[in-house]
């Protein structure tokens, strides 16, 4: 049973992650804790087959279709960035999104490692 701190991502059942041509509903949003990943994965293939660029603006989500664009807002400081989902994750309980280092820098969350965020599907 999930801990009380864990909130299930409402988009987990919105689409099948492997469904060809699946699209996330524009305007749908969710909040939760985001983290970031980088150096150990830089240049390696993501789940979508792309090479991971830790300096780019990308994200990993458990179920959103690859190519989904999210507007991510750090709720602590209001900083916003748009990222494209190109990988799967995060795999740590209680996290809703894993960001590239480039995106984490825009949100000013590199020092803390995680941030409470609001994510909205843009396209």
């Amino acid at each position: 049973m999930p801990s009380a701190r864990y909130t299930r991502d409402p988009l987990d059942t919105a689409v099948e992650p492997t469904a060809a041509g699946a699209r996330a509903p524009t305007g749908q949003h969710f909040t939760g804790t985001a983290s970031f990943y980088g150096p150990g994965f830089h240049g390696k293939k993501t789940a979508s087959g792309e090479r991971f660029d830790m300096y780019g603006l990308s994200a990993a989500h458990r179920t959103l279709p690859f190519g989904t664009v999210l507007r991510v807002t750090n709720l602590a400081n209001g900083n916003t960035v748009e990222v494209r989902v190109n990988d799967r994750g995060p795999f740590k309980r209680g996290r809703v999104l894993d960001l590239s280092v480039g995106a984490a820098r825009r949100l000013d969350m590199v020092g803390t490692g995680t941030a409470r965020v609001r994510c909205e599907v843009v396209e």
Side-chain angles (χ1 to χ4, degrees), residues 20-121:
R23 305 294 289 173
T26 302
Q28 181 121 15
H29 59 86
F30 56 96
T31 60
T33 301
S35 52
F36 68 92
Y37 66 118
F41 299 93
H42 186 66
K44 295 184 178 178
K45 282 192 177 181
T46 64
S48 69
E50 297 176 21
R51 295 273 177 204
F52 177 64
D53 177 6
M54 67 185 243
Y55 303 108
L57 301 177
S58 62
H61 187 272
R62 287 184 299 276
T63 60
L64 285 173
F66 297 131
T68 299
V69 176
L70 297 171
R71 180 176 301 118
V72 183
T73 303
N74 182 336
L75 296 175
N77 61 24
N79 290 1
T80 300
V81 65
E82 286 190 5
V83 296
R84 189 173 51 81
V85 175
N86 71 348
D87 206 359
R88 291 292 173 230
F91 299 108
K92 184 163 177 127
R93 176 170 275 188
R95 308 254 173 102
V96 297
L97 203 63
D98 254 344
L99 299 165
S100 62
V101 173
R105 284 183 178 155
R106 296 254 181 115
L107 294 175
D108 195 21
M109 60 176 272
V110 173
T112 59
T114 62
R116 186 97 172 125
V117 297
R118 181 181 191 276
C119 304
E120 180 181 355
V121 176

